[in-house]
Every structure is written in structure tokens, then in C-alpha cells.
């Protein structure tokens, strides 16, 4: 365990080298929240649509923008790099678990983002746009669990994509396709409660809603208390399912691996 | 660098990509899927709310496609080339370009000419044509000519801005974060300008003239009122394109002349 934590620490300190860029990242987040806030102000105004007010939608946008900096599906790029350079061979002979190494390495980045991007953006957003408080204490506690589920699912999806790249040898295409699905079905911009019913059905069949819509909807209390338990259980189900899938693919991928130089 | 030489280079690049045909086609397909995602989200949005600031779905589709197609055309001559410049400066490989008997700017942009934007161009081109049919506008020949001018100038504006950012590699070396910020700012022009406050409107008209890429020309073509500029200002659009691109080129050459190497 201590070995892995030191990977996190290393990733964290690597990020520290670029701390001068924090200002631009904050500006970028501010721009994203501003665009979404103005759009919601334009279409909702002072009233409400399906019981949702502008203040709630702005809070929804802020939560999603912050969550985007924390998610871990970016790891697939890292695996792709070591697959192409051949350095994966030396990663594999180390007496550590490669997937766990990836997870802890990425967690180091997430902790950095939490301190240097998410926390300051939160303060700025609170000051410029304001946020509504969580619907209730229960909703807030379940929201924290949902955040954890979002992190785990995003990691597993990124990891799944990187494993599929062992077969397709085109990580570029896989990650672009993933982007398309996440844009729609995570509900990051347009919450799923505004979807037409057939699109809601599709969104419910996919795990992407756990990476944006579900945590924010829980925070706002749009999901009634009695349904919270089932949502969390279903999230846990996705985690178990994805874990089994990546475990299966991983053992096959390693057997398939041919390193051409490096 | 003559046009014939450029044509030859593009043919060679196409041959190179076609060496791995399946891979190339898969990449193009995947990018179309990704952008279809962007279109679908906006479509779902308008399905729910009918209009944004008085713009209907075909109008928004036209606006968004104009932004995307001009980005793709402009970026094929600038984005990857300018993003890679940072590494060339860092490693010192840029030095070898300076001793070639061609203009270094034209060499950089043509050598890196990016065919992958076929994906962006096909999806945005199709949606653009669909939106024009759907809107059923009685356009005259001059409107069509204006649209062509607008597409060229929009590409020049985006290429100009990307070139300016790339030129900062000669001064600051690291430019990656500026590209990221550019893409965040570009999100503004996916929606009609009037939904944003006065400050943003001035920013996107005067400082970073992205509103000239699609918002102003689309408003004139679809007779929407524009808040900031009068109707005769529609002829500003091609001028802004030329000016932006020229400024980008001059700034880049200025940087390249100042360039002294960052070690190697």
C-alpha cells in the first residue's frame, strides 16, 4: 500500500511543477460556468421549467464543471503512450499491479486538481454565481457517495478503453467515440430530466450518467429519498460489472501483448 | 512554396495516411461520432426549450456548423503545426527549418497539413446544407457568394488566432494551456451572442473577434437583429478575416526572427 501511495505523491508533485498554469485553468472553468449560466438564464429566466429554477441549474453546471476536473477516464491516454513506446513491458515486470499503479498515479492528479482547481473554482463560482445548498443532509451524504462512484466508474471506463486499444490498436478512435457518448449521456450540460422519454431510457441503460447527472441530481434533491438507495446499489452494480469485464480483458490483453522494440 | 508544391505534399500525405486505410477511416468515423454528440446535445436542448434567444434549431445548427467548418478549415493549416511548435522549440529541431530555402511559416504549415479534419468538415458541411434547406431561404447569388467569403474569412480568423498562440512558443516555450483556453473561449460562439452580457459581446467582437466567425454573418444571412453592429457592417467580416490572418502571420514571423533556441 505504501508503495502505491508514493506513486500518488509523485504524480502530485509532478503536477506542482505546472502550478503557474492554475490561473488559466481557473479562467477556463470560469468561462465554462459562465456560458452555461447565461444559457440557463436565457431559457429559464425568473420562472422555472419542470420545477427547476435558474439557481438550481447554475448549481448543476457548477457541480458538473468541478466534477469534470476530477474524473479519471484520462488514464487511457497514459496506457496508450506506454503501449506505443513499448515501455509497458518494463511496467509489467515490476512487482506491482499495473492497474493499481494507474489508479494511484491518477489519484495523485485528482488530489492536486481538488486542491488547486476544484477548491478555488468553487470559491469563485460561489462568489460570482452563487449556489443553492444541498436539498437535505441525507441528500448531501448520498451525494458524497455518488462522487466516489463517479470517480471509480470514470477510472474503470478509461481503463476499459485502454484495454480495448490492445485489440484495436487505435486508442485515438476509441477515446473520441467515448467522448461523444459522455457528452450526451453523462448529462454534464443538459440534465437527463430534460431529455425526451426514449432518450431517458437509453441514458438509464448506460453507466455514463453516474459521471455527471446523478451526483448533481442527488445534491439538488431531484431524486426522492426513497429512490436514492436503489441508485447507489445500481452504481455499485456497474462498478462490479465493469470490474469483472476489465479483469477478463486484462488477463487476455497481457497474453496478446507483443512489444515491437521500445 | 508554390501551390503546385503544396498540392504534391497533400497527395503524399494522403498516400501516407491511406497506408493504414482501416485505421484512418476508423479515426474519421470516431470523430464524426464525437461531434454528433455535440449536435445531439444542442438538438435535445432546443427540443425542450424551442429556441435560444429567438434562434430555432435549424438556425442554431447553421450557426454551430459555420463555427465548426471554419475551425476545421483554419485548423488544418494551423492547429497541430502550432501545437507541435512548442516541442520543436524545446528540442531545438526548429533550427533545422530556418536553414531551408523556403519561408519557415509556409514550410511549417504545409508539412503539418492535417487531413484528419475531413471528419469535422463532412459532419458540419452536411448539417450546414441541411439547415439551409430546412430554413428555405430565398437567397440571391450574392448571398451564396457572401457565405463562401464568410467561410474563408472565418477559417482565417481561427487560423490567425491559433497562429498567434503558436508564435508564443518562441517567447514562452510552453503554449499548451493557451490552446486549452482558446477551446474554452470558442464554446461562446456555439450560441447566439446576445445571450451573453455586454462585456463578453465586446470581448468577442473587438479583442478576440470570434463573433465574426459565425454570429455576425449568420445574423445578417438570417435577418436576425445584431446588438452591437449595424447591417452594413456585414462587409467587415471578410476584412476581419484578412486582418486576423495577416496579424497572425506577422506576429509568427516576428517571433521566428527573435527565436534564439531554447537549448537542445
Amino acid at each position: 500500500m505504501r508503495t502505491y501511495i508514493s506513486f500518488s505523491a509523485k504524480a502530485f508533485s509532478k503536477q506542482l511543477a505546472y502550478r503557474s498554469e492554475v490561473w488559466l485553468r481557473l479562467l477556463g472553468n470560469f468561462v465554462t460556468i459562465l456560458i452555461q449560466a447565461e444559457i440557463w438564464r436565457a431559457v429559464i429566466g425568473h420562472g422555472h421549467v419542470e420545477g427547476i429554477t435558474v439557481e438550481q441549474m447554475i448549481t448543476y453546471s457548477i457541480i458538473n464543471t468541478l466534477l469534470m476536473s476530477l474524473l479519471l477516464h484520462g488514464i487511457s491516454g497514459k496506457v496508450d503512450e506506454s503501449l506505443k513506446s513499448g515501455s509497458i513491458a518494463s511496467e509489467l515486470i515490476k512487482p506491482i499491479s499495473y492497474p493499481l499503479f494507474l489508479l494511484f498515479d491518477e489519484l495523485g492528479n485528482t488530489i492536486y486538481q481538488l486542491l488547486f482547481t476544484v477548491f478555488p473554482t468553487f470559491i469563485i463560482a460561489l462568489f460570482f454565481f452563487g449556489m443553492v445548498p444541498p436539498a437535505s443532509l441525507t441528500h448531501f451524504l448520498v451525494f458524497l457517495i455518488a462522487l466516489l462512484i463517479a470517480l471509480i466508474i470514470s477510472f474503470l471506463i478509461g481503463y476499459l478503453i485502454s484495454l480495448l486499444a490492445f485489440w484495436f490498436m487505435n486508442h485515438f478512435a476509441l477515446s473520441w467515440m467515448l467522448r461523444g457518448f459522455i457528452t450526451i449521456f453523462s448529462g454534464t450540460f443538459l440534465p437527463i430530466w430534460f431529455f425526451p422519454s426514449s432518450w431517458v431510457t437509453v441514458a438509464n441503460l448506460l453507466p455514463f450518467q453516474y459521471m455527471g447527472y446523478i451526483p448533481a441530481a442527488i445534491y439538488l434533491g431531484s431524486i426522492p429519498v426513497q429512490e436514492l438507495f436503489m441508485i447507489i446499489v445500481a452504481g455499485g452494480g456497474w462498478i462490479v460489472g465493469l470490474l469483472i469485464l476489465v479483469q477478463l480483458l486484462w488477463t487476455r490483453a497481457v497474453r496478446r501483448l507483443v512489444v515491437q522494440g521500445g | 512554396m508554390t501551390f503546385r508544391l503544396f498540392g504534391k505534399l497533400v497527395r503524399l500525405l494522403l498516400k501516407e495516411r491511406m497506408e493504414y486505410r482501416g485505421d484512418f477511416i476508423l479515426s474519421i468515423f470516431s470523430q464524426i461520432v464525437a461531434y454528433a454528440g455535440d449536435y445531439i446535445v444542442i438538438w435535445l436542448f432546443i427540443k425542450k426549450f424551442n429556441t435560444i434567444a429567438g434562434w430555432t434549431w435549424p438556425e442554431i445548427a447553421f450557426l454551430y456548423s459555420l463555427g465548426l467548418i471554419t475551425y476545421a478549415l483554419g485548423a488544418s493549416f494551423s492547429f497541430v503545426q502550432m501545437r507541435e511548435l512548442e516541442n520543436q522549440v524545446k528540442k531545438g529541431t526548429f533550427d533545422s527549418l530556418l536553414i531551408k530555402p523556403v519561408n519557415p511559416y509556409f514550410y511549417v504549415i504545409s508539412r503539418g497539413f492535417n487531413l484528419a479534419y475531413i471528419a469535422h468538415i463532412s459532419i458540419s458541411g452536411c448539417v450546414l446544407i441541411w439547415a439551409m434547406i430546412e430554413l428555405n431561404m430565398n437567397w440571391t447569388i450574392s448571398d451564396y457568394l457572401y457565405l463562401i467569403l464568410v467561410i474563408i474569412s472565418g477559417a482565417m480568423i481561427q487560423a490567425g488566432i491559433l497562429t498567434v498562440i503558436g508564435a508564443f512558443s518562441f517567447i514562452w516555450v510552453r503554449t499548451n494551456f493557451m490552446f486549452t483556453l482558446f477551446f474554452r473561449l470558442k464554446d461562446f460562439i456555439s450560441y447566439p451572442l446576445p445571450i451573453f452580457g455586454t462585456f463578453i459581446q465586446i470581448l468577442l467582437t473587438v479583442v478576440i473577434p470570434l463573433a465574426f466567425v459565425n454570429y455576425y454573418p449568420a445574423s445578417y444571412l438570417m435577418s436576425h437583429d445584431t446588438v452591437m453592429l449595424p447591417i452594413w457592417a456585414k462587409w467587415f467580416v471578410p476584412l476581419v478575416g484578412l486582418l486576423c490572418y495577416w496579424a497572425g502571420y506577422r506576429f509568427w514571423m516576428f517571433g521566428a526572427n527573435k527565436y534564439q533556441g531554447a537549448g537542445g
Side-chain angles (χ1 to χ4, degrees):
Chain A
M1 196 61 196
R2 273 184 51 190
T3 327
Y4 294 112
I5 288 171
S6 69
F7 286 130
S8 298
K10 217 171 139 228
F12 182 86
S13 58
K14 221 188 267 172
Q15 283 287 331
L16 273 181
Y18 303 121
R19 61 188 177 278
S20 59
E21 286 166 20
V22 161
W23 295 107
L24 282 135
R25 209 173 290 142
L26 294 183
L27 187 60
N29 275 345
F30 179 76
V31 166
T32 303
I33 297 170
L34 177 68
I35 291 176
Q36 299 190 5
E38 296 286 20
I39 290 168
W40 295 119
R41 278 181 197 140
V43 295
I44 300 182
H46 293 295
H48 52 82
V49 175
E50 297 192 1
I52 304 293
T53 62
V54 128
E55 288 76 23
Q56 285 176 312
M57 270 326 299
I58 291 173
T59 304
Y60 184 94
S61 296
I62 294 170
I63 292 174
N64 269 290
T65 309
L66 297 181
L67 189 54
M68 281 304 248
S69 334
L70 294 179
L71 294 181
L72 308 167
H73 55 272
I75 57 138
S76 64
K78 198 164 203 158
V79 181
D80 181 58
E81 234 167 69
S82 48
L83 203 56
K84 284 209 174 103
S85 70
S87 69
I88 186 134
S90 61
E91 310 276 6
L92 289 178
I93 52 173
K94 284 177 194 158
I96 50 164
S97 147
Y98 185 56
L100 278 180
F101 157 71
L102 286 173
L103 176 65
F104 278 86
D105 185 66
E106 221 20 60
L107 278 178
N109 288 332
T110 300
I111 293 164
Y112 172 84
Q113 296 286 351
L114 192 67
L115 289 177
F116 289 91
T117 311
V118 172
F119 190 64
T121 310
F122 174 74
I123 301 289
I124 294 169
L126 208 58
F127 182 75
F128 280 96
F129 303 101
M131 277 177 86
V132 296
S136 67
L137 185 63
T138 324
H139 279 102
F140 183 68
L141 294 174
V142 181
F143 164 72
L144 294 180
I145 300 170
L147 283 185
L148 198 63
I149 293 178
L151 290 185
I152 298 171
I153 287 186
S154 69
F155 173 79
L156 289 172
I157 288 175
Y159 185 47
L160 179 66
I161 291 292
S162 62
L163 289 177
L164 290 175
F166 277 70
W167 277 269
F168 289 100
M169 293 313 271
N170 189 336
H171 164 262
F172 176 86
L174 291 168
S175 56
W176 271 86
M177 259 183 253
L178 178 70
R179 207 195 92 175
F181 281 95
I182 290 180
T183 308
I184 307 171
F185 295 109
S186 67
T188 297
F189 167 57
L190 186 69
I192 292 170
W193 61 64
F194 288 143
F195 281 25
S197 62
S198 52
W199 288 78
V200 174
T201 318
V202 181
N204 284 338
L205 292 171
L206 293 167
F208 304 116
Q209 54 173 340
Y210 283 93
M211 291 160 64
Y213 165 76
I214 291 207
I218 292 175
Y219 179 94
L220 290 172
S222 309
I223 298 170
V225 178
Q226 58 271 24
E227 281 174 35
L228 288 177
F229 180 69
M230 269 322 288
I231 292 234
I232 295 301
V233 169
W238 271 110
I239 292 175
V240 173
L242 284 167
L243 263 177
I244 293 170
L245 188 62
V246 294
Q247 203 52 43
L248 266 169
L249 283 175
W250 171 242
T251 44
R252 276 167 208 210
V254 174
R255 246 180 281 150
R256 245 189 88 84
L257 179 68
V258 179
V259 177
Q260 303 174 325
Chain B
M1 174 133 334
T2 60
F3 284 102
R4 264 189 56 193
L5 203 56
F6 179 69
K8 197 167 177 187
L9 197 76
V10 172
R11 270 202 304 283
L12 282 174
L13 285 170
L14 194 64
K15 260 189 188 159
E16 186 188 325
R17 293 306 295 265
M18 278 305 165
E19 200 63 34
Y20 304 96
R21 189 165 309 195
D23 193 73
F24 184 57
I25 292 168
L26 187 66
S27 302
I28 300 293
F29 173 74
S30 67
Q31 282 179 303
I32 291 180
V33 170
Y35 278 98
D38 289 354
Y39 275 109
I40 289 170
V41 167
I42 300 178
W43 173 72
L44 287 171
F45 180 92
I46 298 187
K47 224 170 136 58
K48 179 74 210 169
F49 295 97
N50 300 319
T51 58
I52 309 180
W55 291 54
T56 60
W57 162 237
E59 289 174 333
I60 293 283
F62 183 88
L63 181 81
Y64 187 86
S65 302
L66 201 53
L68 184 56
I69 202 164
T70 52
Y71 164 70
L73 291 170
S76 59
F77 286 99
S78 55
F79 174 53
V80 175
Q81 295 88 320
M82 293 302 152
R83 193 190 59 191
E84 298 304 313
L85 211 54
E86 176 186 317
N87 271 330
Q88 291 183 355
V89 169
K90 225 185 277 170
K91 286 188 191 146
T93 47
F94 182 74
D95 299 33
S96 69
L97 291 183
L98 292 172
I99 52 167
K100 288 195 200 313
V102 284
N103 179 320
Y105 173 75
F106 290 111
Y107 182 80
V108 165
I109 60 163
S110 2
R111 185 67 193 90
F113 181 75
N114 194 346
L115 292 167
Y117 288 105
I118 292 172
H120 305 58
I121 293 171
S122 27
I123 187 166
S124 58
C126 289
V127 179
L128 196 71
I129 292 167
W130 170 84
M132 282 161 64
I133 295 168
E134 192 73 5
L135 288 167
N136 199 12
M137 287 179 294
N138 297 314
W139 278 12
T140 58
I141 298 287
S142 76
D143 286 327
Y144 285 105
L145 288 176
Y146 181 67
L147 178 65
I148 293 170
L149 265 182
V150 156
I151 291 176
I152 297 170
S153 100
M156 286 174 119
I157 293 171
Q158 308 225 30
I161 298 172
L162 287 167
T163 307
V164 168
I165 298 176
F168 276 105
S169 317
F170 299 126
I171 302 165
W172 293 338
V173 185
R174 276 182 70 90
T175 52
N176 228 322
F177 60 92
M178 288 176 72
F179 285 113
T180 314
L181 190 62
F182 169 77
F183 289 113
R184 292 282 181 109
L185 287 172
K186 210 163 68 65
D187 281 344
F188 274 121
I189 61 166
S190 305
Y191 307 94
L193 196 62
I195 66 169
F196 303 111
T198 320
F199 174 75
I200 299 293
Q201 292 183 18
I202 295 173
L203 179 80
L204 296 177
T205 305
V206 185
V207 187
I208 309 163
L210 281 171
F212 286 96
V213 167
N214 61 351
Y215 170 68
Y216 287 121
S219 307
Y220 298 131
L221 284 168
M222 292 181 298
S223 352
H224 272 287
D225 288 335
T226 55
V227 260
M228 302 282 294
L229 298 173
I231 183 81
W232 49 263
K234 74 188 257 192
W235 298 107
F236 277 180
V237 175
L239 291 178
V240 172
L242 278 173
L243 189 73
C244 237
Y245 194 69
W246 178 80
Y249 171 71
R250 292 305 307 173
F251 185 62
W252 198 93
M253 289 303 274
F254 168 78
N257 283 329
K258 283 259 168 196
Y259 169 76
Q260 300 192 317

PDB file of all heavy atoms in Angstrom, chain B residues 137-149:
ATOM      1  N   MET B 137     -34.534  29.526 -47.350  1.00  0.00           N
ATOM      2  CA  MET B 137     -34.316  30.955 -47.528  1.00  0.00           C
ATOM      3  C   MET B 137     -34.216  31.287 -49.012  1.00  0.00           C
ATOM      4  O   MET B 137     -33.632  30.534 -49.786  1.00  0.00           O
ATOM      5  CB  MET B 137     -33.037  31.366 -46.805  1.00  0.00           C
ATOM      6  CG  MET B 137     -33.232  31.372 -45.305  1.00  0.00           C
ATOM      7  SD  MET B 137     -31.773  31.823 -44.411  1.00  0.00           S
ATOM      8  CE  MET B 137     -30.699  30.494 -44.772  1.00  0.00           C
ATOM      9  N   ASN B 138     -34.806  32.407 -49.376  1.00  0.00           N
ATOM     10  CA  ASN B 138     -34.716  32.830 -50.779  1.00  0.00           C
ATOM     11  C   ASN B 138     -33.435  33.616 -50.982  1.00  0.00           C
ATOM     12  O   ASN B 138     -33.431  34.844 -50.990  1.00  0.00           O
ATOM     13  CB  ASN B 138     -35.930  33.700 -51.136  1.00  0.00           C
ATOM     14  CG  ASN B 138     -37.193  32.896 -51.020  1.00  0.00           C
ATOM     15  OD1 ASN B 138     -37.266  31.758 -51.496  1.00  0.00           O
ATOM     16  ND2 ASN B 138     -38.199  33.456 -50.358  1.00  0.00           N
ATOM     17  N   TRP B 139     -32.371  32.865 -51.137  1.00  0.00           N
ATOM     18  CA  TRP B 139     -31.087  33.527 -51.248  1.00  0.00           C
ATOM     19  C   TRP B 139     -30.825  33.947 -52.682  1.00  0.00           C
ATOM     20  O   TRP B 139     -31.164  33.226 -53.629  1.00  0.00           O
ATOM     21  CB  TRP B 139     -29.982  32.592 -50.782  1.00  0.00           C
ATOM     22  CG  TRP B 139     -29.849  32.589 -49.295  1.00  0.00           C
ATOM     23  CD1 TRP B 139     -30.717  33.123 -48.385  1.00  0.00           C
ATOM     24  CD2 TRP B 139     -28.777  32.016 -48.550  1.00  0.00           C
ATOM     25  NE1 TRP B 139     -30.259  32.902 -47.128  1.00  0.00           N
ATOM     26  CE2 TRP B 139     -29.075  32.240 -47.189  1.00  0.00           C
ATOM     27  CE3 TRP B 139     -27.611  31.347 -48.895  1.00  0.00           C
ATOM     28  CZ2 TRP B 139     -28.220  31.808 -46.183  1.00  0.00           C
ATOM     29  CZ3 TRP B 139     -26.777  30.918 -47.885  1.00  0.00           C
ATOM     30  CH2 TRP B 139     -27.077  31.153 -46.542  1.00  0.00           C
ATOM     31  N   THR B 140     -30.167  35.097 -52.839  1.00  0.00           N
ATOM     32  CA  THR B 140     -29.700  35.508 -54.159  1.00  0.00           C
ATOM     33  C   THR B 140     -28.270  34.995 -54.327  1.00  0.00           C
ATOM     34  O   THR B 140     -27.660  34.517 -53.363  1.00  0.00           O
ATOM     35  CB  THR B 140     -29.712  37.037 -54.278  1.00  0.00           C
ATOM     36  OG1 THR B 140     -28.885  37.543 -53.234  1.00  0.00           O
ATOM     37  CG2 THR B 140     -31.122  37.575 -54.154  1.00  0.00           C
ATOM     38  N   ILE B 141     -27.779  35.133 -55.563  1.00  0.00           N
ATOM     39  CA  ILE B 141     -26.401  34.718 -55.833  1.00  0.00           C
ATOM     40  C   ILE B 141     -25.431  35.418 -54.885  1.00  0.00           C
ATOM     41  O   ILE B 141     -24.508  34.801 -54.357  1.00  0.00           O
ATOM     42  CB  ILE B 141     -26.016  35.061 -57.298  1.00  0.00           C
ATOM     43  CG1 ILE B 141     -26.911  34.302 -58.278  1.00  0.00           C
ATOM     44  CG2 ILE B 141     -24.555  34.762 -57.560  1.00  0.00           C
ATOM     45  CD1 ILE B 141     -26.610  32.828 -58.384  1.00  0.00           C
ATOM     46  N   SER B 142     -25.705  36.684 -54.609  1.00  0.00           N
ATOM     47  CA  SER B 142     -24.760  37.423 -53.766  1.00  0.00           C
ATOM     48  C   SER B 142     -24.759  36.884 -52.335  1.00  0.00           C
ATOM     49  O   SER B 142     -23.734  36.924 -51.654  1.00  0.00           O
ATOM     50  CB  SER B 142     -25.058  38.919 -53.799  1.00  0.00           C
ATOM     51  OG  SER B 142     -26.178  39.206 -53.023  1.00  0.00           O
ATOM     52  N   ASP B 143     -25.887  36.348 -51.881  1.00  0.00           N
ATOM     53  CA  ASP B 143     -25.899  35.731 -50.547  1.00  0.00           C
ATOM     54  C   ASP B 143     -25.007  34.494 -50.503  1.00  0.00           C
ATOM     55  O   ASP B 143     -24.284  34.269 -49.530  1.00  0.00           O
ATOM     56  CB  ASP B 143     -27.330  35.332 -50.157  1.00  0.00           C
ATOM     57  CG  ASP B 143     -28.169  36.543 -49.783  1.00  0.00           C
ATOM     58  OD1 ASP B 143     -27.604  37.496 -49.227  1.00  0.00           O
ATOM     59  OD2 ASP B 143     -29.381  36.524 -50.066  1.00  0.00           O
ATOM     60  N   TYR B 144     -25.084  33.694 -51.566  1.00  0.00           N
ATOM     61  CA  TYR B 144     -24.232  32.499 -51.629  1.00  0.00           C
ATOM     62  C   TYR B 144     -22.757  32.881 -51.670  1.00  0.00           C
ATOM     63  O   TYR B 144     -21.921  32.278 -50.997  1.00  0.00           O
ATOM     64  CB  TYR B 144     -24.599  31.627 -52.831  1.00  0.00           C
ATOM     65  CG  TYR B 144     -25.882  30.862 -52.631  1.00  0.00           C
ATOM     66  CD1 TYR B 144     -27.051  31.259 -53.265  1.00  0.00           C
ATOM     67  CD2 TYR B 144     -25.936  29.763 -51.772  1.00  0.00           C
ATOM     68  CE1 TYR B 144     -28.241  30.585 -53.060  1.00  0.00           C
ATOM     69  CE2 TYR B 144     -27.121  29.080 -51.558  1.00  0.00           C
ATOM     70  CZ  TYR B 144     -28.275  29.495 -52.212  1.00  0.00           C
ATOM     71  OH  TYR B 144     -29.441  28.817 -51.993  1.00  0.00           O
ATOM     72  N   LEU B 145     -22.468  33.920 -52.493  1.00  0.00           N
ATOM     73  CA  LEU B 145     -21.075  34.377 -52.570  1.00  0.00           C
ATOM     74  C   LEU B 145     -20.617  34.885 -51.203  1.00  0.00           C
ATOM     75  O   LEU B 145     -19.495  34.627 -50.776  1.00  0.00           O
ATOM     76  CB  LEU B 145     -20.939  35.492 -53.618  1.00  0.00           C
ATOM     77  CG  LEU B 145     -21.047  35.014 -55.068  1.00  0.00           C
ATOM     78  CD1 LEU B 145     -20.994  36.206 -56.023  1.00  0.00           C
ATOM     79  CD2 LEU B 145     -19.921  34.033 -55.400  1.00  0.00           C
ATOM     80  N   TYR B 146     -21.542  35.588 -50.507  1.00  0.00           N
ATOM     81  CA  TYR B 146     -21.220  36.103 -49.183  1.00  0.00           C
ATOM     82  C   TYR B 146     -20.895  34.949 -48.238  1.00  0.00           C
ATOM     83  O   TYR B 146     -19.921  35.003 -47.491  1.00  0.00           O
ATOM     84  CB  TYR B 146     -22.392  36.927 -48.653  1.00  0.00           C
ATOM     85  CG  TYR B 146     -22.130  37.525 -47.297  1.00  0.00           C
ATOM     86  CD1 TYR B 146     -21.165  38.523 -47.119  1.00  0.00           C
ATOM     87  CD2 TYR B 146     -22.837  37.105 -46.171  1.00  0.00           C
ATOM     88  CE1 TYR B 146     -20.924  39.075 -45.880  1.00  0.00           C
ATOM     89  CE2 TYR B 146     -22.600  37.652 -44.924  1.00  0.00           C
ATOM     90  CZ  TYR B 146     -21.642  38.629 -44.786  1.00  0.00           C
ATOM     91  OH  TYR B 146     -21.387  39.174 -43.545  1.00  0.00           O
ATOM     92  N   LEU B 147     -21.702  33.872 -48.312  1.00  0.00           N
ATOM     93  CA  LEU B 147     -21.461  32.708 -47.444  1.00  0.00           C
ATOM     94  C   LEU B 147     -20.066  32.121 -47.687  1.00  0.00           C
ATOM     95  O   LEU B 147     -19.349  31.779 -46.749  1.00  0.00           O
ATOM     96  CB  LEU B 147     -22.535  31.640 -47.677  1.00  0.00           C
ATOM     97  CG  LEU B 147     -22.363  30.353 -46.848  1.00  0.00           C
ATOM     98  CD1 LEU B 147     -22.513  30.630 -45.362  1.00  0.00           C
ATOM     99  CD2 LEU B 147     -23.361  29.280 -47.272  1.00  0.00           C
ATOM    100  N   ILE B 148     -19.677  32.035 -48.965  1.00  0.00           N
ATOM    101  CA  ILE B 148     -18.348  31.493 -49.277  1.00  0.00           C
ATOM    102  C   ILE B 148     -17.254  32.395 -48.693  1.00  0.00           C
ATOM    103  O   ILE B 148     -16.310  31.914 -48.051  1.00  0.00           O
ATOM    104  CB  ILE B 148     -18.186  31.319 -50.796  1.00  0.00           C
ATOM    105  CG1 ILE B 148     -19.140  30.214 -51.281  1.00  0.00           C
ATOM    106  CG2 ILE B 148     -16.746  30.974 -51.165  1.00  0.00           C
ATOM    107  CD1 ILE B 148     -19.265  30.111 -52.777  1.00  0.00           C
ATOM    108  N   LEU B 149     -17.431  33.702 -48.870  1.00  0.00           N
ATOM    109  CA  LEU B 149     -16.475  34.651 -48.295  1.00  0.00           C
ATOM    110  C   LEU B 149     -16.395  34.502 -46.781  1.00  0.00           C
ATOM    111  O   LEU B 149     -15.314  34.527 -46.184  1.00  0.00           O
ATOM    112  CB  LEU B 149     -16.940  36.085 -48.594  1.00  0.00           C
ATOM    113  CG  LEU B 149     -16.362  36.775 -49.824  1.00  0.00           C
ATOM    114  CD1 LEU B 149     -16.926  38.194 -49.908  1.00  0.00           C
ATOM    115  CD2 LEU B 149     -14.835  36.834 -49.726  1.00  0.00           C
TER     116      LEU B 149
END
